[in-house]
Amino acid sequence: MRAEMRHKDFIELHDYTADEVHELFELARDMKKDPKKFANALQGQTLAMIFEKSSTRTRVSFEAGMFQMGGHALFLSARDIQLGRGEPINDTARVLSRYVNGIMARTFAHKTVTDLAQFASVPVINGLTDLSHPCQVMADYFTAWERFGDLKGRKIAYIGDGNNMAHSLLFGAPKVGLDIAIATPADYAPDANVVAQAKEDAKAAGTQMLITTSIDEAVRNADIIETDVWASMGQEAEADKRHRDFEGWIVDPRVMSLATKDAIFLHCLPAHRGEEVAAEVIDGPQSVIYDEAENRLHVQKAIMYALMKQ
Ligand code: CP
Ligand code: NVA
């Protein structure tokens, strides 16, 4: 079986090579086509899923994915485990490693996930942090790969907040050969360190990268248009200010008309119709949001298989 990874963890797409990402895509495609072939792939294994934030897709797709491969997933709300009462991350990681075969974590601080990875002897998967959301971007680019085939020379435009999604899209684009343009309001640009690192990766891969405050400039000739919420989880206190600052930052039919005519629309969900995206777009013929959501399951099964298969 392919997709044997040299990595212990799945924390950031930056850590993976283009070949490794491609192998994961091929494995995910095989798993999607014939899930029964992998029915015992992780038999008897347990995945601990730590959640500091809410989730629908991540929780359900990881849990269903483990079950489909003969394993079991354990939902651990940070509110209920001792981590939430201040038990150190290193003790949590070391203890969990004695019981389970992998840990998936959704946290506020990115360091919580990297610390878990440092101290756990089992694989750790980033299920979203304030900094990044690599499992989602694997699903997003896999969805584009299914639609367009080789992504070399294609372009993605992301419109909106320079948040965890923007960061992972930036890290992932050079790995799949995509040119990328990110348009944000001036005060909401992506993290400077992420941009600098992604720029180096793009240069090495020979792909284009643009950070701009112009929606029109970003979207021109794009094959993939993506957006995300104006206020992410943990930014509830800023929601009113963000609603004022993001006024007009909407992917609507005019914006879609600037892209290529067979462009697809992506959104990690949950979405706010009438805010970052118009209902005509997200519910229209170019939208592939439900394929994208389904593909979380397939790419994460491939990731778990690659990291956890014994
Ligand atoms: N896109 C995503 O990660 O969704 P959830 O917050 O529902 O897991
Ligand atoms: N940027 C969003 C993504 C949700 C899946 C958030 O962090 O809330």
Side-chain angles (χ1 to χ4, degrees):
M1 198 55 60
R2 295 176 59 130
E4 303 267 324
M5 295 290 137
R6 66 188 163 87
H7 306 273
K8 179 173 92 63
D9 309 301
F10 187 79
I11 306 290
E12 207 70 88
L13 279 168
H14 165 70
D15 305 331
Y16 280 66
T17 66
D19 282 348
E20 288 167 341
V21 171
H22 193 249
E23 277 199 25
L24 286 170
F25 280 3
E26 288 186 332
L27 181 57
R29 180 196 55 200
D30 294 348
M31 288 176 153
K32 185 173 183 175
K33 205 178 339 172
D34 191 3
K36 292 216 164 60
K37 219 169 109 189
F38 298 86
N40 300 313
L42 296 183
Q43 192 161 25
Q45 294 207 40
T46 301
L47 178 77
M49 308 192 297
I50 299 173
F51 282 94
E52 290 182 351
K53 297 171 172 170
S54 305
S55 171
T56 299
R57 281 143 288 269
T58 304
R59 176 179 176 177
V60 177
S61 56
F62 269 104
E63 184 160 343
M66 276 304 284
F67 181 73
Q68 288 176 16
M69 292 191 287
H72 171 70
L74 207 54
F75 173 73
L76 303 172
S77 162
R79 277 190 296 278
D80 300 331
I81 59 173
Q82 300 286 8
L83 185 67
R85 291 181 57 243
E87 182 168 11
I89 292 169
N90 58 354
D91 285 346
T92 304
R94 288 187 168 117
V95 169
L96 285 178
S97 298
R98 301 291 178 105
Y99 301 133
V100 303
N101 309 93
I103 300 169
M104 187 277 290
R106 166 168 287 195
T107 62
F108 290 96
H110 187 71
K111 191 172 182 303
T112 305
V113 166
T114 54
D115 283 354
L116 279 171
Q118 184 186 339
F119 296 112
S121 58
V122 297
V124 171
I125 299 172
N126 175 357
L128 180 147
T129 68
D130 287 347
L131 187 75
S132 58
H133 196 5
C135 289
Q136 180 68 52
V137 167
M138 282 294 286
D140 295 4
Y141 288 163
F142 178 77
T143 306
W145 181 72
E146 278 185 314
R147 170 65 65 108
F148 297 120
D150 188 9
L151 295 174
K152 248 206 172 70
R154 299 264 180 186
K155 176 183 171 186
I156 177 166
Y158 170 89
I159 311 300
D161 187 22
N163 61 13
N164 44 12
M165 279 302 302
H167 296 155
S168 287
L169 289 167
L170 278 167
F171 277 142
K175 309 296 178 173
V176 297
L178 272 176
D179 295 338
I180 184 164
I182 303 268
T184 70
D187 293 340
Y188 295 93
D191 177 84
N193 292 324
V194 172
V195 169
Q197 185 63 71
K199 202 171 188 172
E200 267 181 41
D201 292 351
K203 199 167 162 210
T207 56
Q208 304 291 315
M209 192 188 110
L210 172 76
I211 310 289
T212 175
T213 54
S214 161
I215 295 178
D216 291 19
E217 186 187 17
V219 165
R220 204 158 291 128
N221 293 323
D223 303 286
I224 306 157
I225 310 295
E226 178 148 5
T227 186
D228 189 15
V229 290
W230 291 342
S232 286
M233 291 182 278
Q235 297 173 333
E236 288 76 13
E238 293 171 36
D240 287 347
K241 176 172 166 40
R242 283 172 169 268
H243 271 68
R244 288 193 297 276
D245 293 350
F246 280 84
E247 184 80 56
W249 281 78
I250 182 168
V251 176
D252 58 13
R254 186 196 74 82
V255 170
M256 290 304 291
S257 75
L258 300 174
T260 59
K261 73 172 186 337
D262 63 348
I264 55 173
F265 173 79
L266 297 175
H267 192 309
C268 66
L269 305 178
H272 295 96
R273 288 165 175 79
E275 292 184 12
E276 75 275 7
V277 60
E280 303 98 287
V281 171
I282 195 166
D283 300 319
Q286 287 171 286
S287 174
V288 292
I289 55 166
Y290 301 120
D291 293 331
E292 178 188 4
E294 178 190 330
N295 283 335
R296 291 290 302 276
L297 174 70
H298 307 300
V299 298
Q300 289 162 191
K301 282 172 73 178
I303 292 165
M304 289 190 287
Y305 180 91
L307 297 180
M308 293 167 66
K309 177 92 184 110
Q310 283 160 349

